[in-house]
Amino acid sequence: MSAHPRAFQRIANELAATTNPSRRDELLDEWLDARDRATEWDADQWGLDPDGWCLKERTEMERRADTTEEQAR
């Protein structure tokens, strides 16, 4: 599920206001992220705890990142 409609409105407003091509690219990337990723708002809509709904996955990703960082040293 995508992000809250207000997130898209904010991005659309910023896109309309900017003339900077780099900022436009950043905003378009943000739009795609908002479209493709579930958010805390989505979790709340699904009846999940918005603060802890993805805690297990986030913890595992952090562990893997730490492991990768240690291996790079």
Side-chain angles (χ1 to χ4, degrees):
M1 179 179 260
S2 62
H4 191 281
R6 288 186 196 149
F8 290 107
Q9 188 59 54
R10 180 191 56 78
I11 296 168
N13 292 345
E14 287 189 45
L15 275 168
T18 189
T19 58
N20 182 326
S22 295
R23 180 64 181 144
R24 185 171 290 128
D25 286 344
E26 290 172 6
L27 290 166
L28 291 172
D29 287 342
E30 191 176 330
W31 182 287
L32 292 174
D33 285 343
R35 183 197 67 186
D36 295 342
R37 296 185 183 164
T39 65
E40 284 78 8
W41 179 85
D42 298 317
D44 187 51
Q45 298 301 302
W46 300 330
L48 303 171
D49 172 21
D51 296 322
W53 71 289
C54 201
L55 187 60
K56 180 180 174 184
E57 291 79 1
R58 289 178 186 164
T59 302
E60 177 62 16
M61 288 172 47
E62 288 175 12
R63 185 193 66 76
R64 290 181 187 183
D66 291 343
T67 302
T68 302
E69 190 175 287
E70 288 173 8
Q71 289 174 350
R73 291 182 192 164

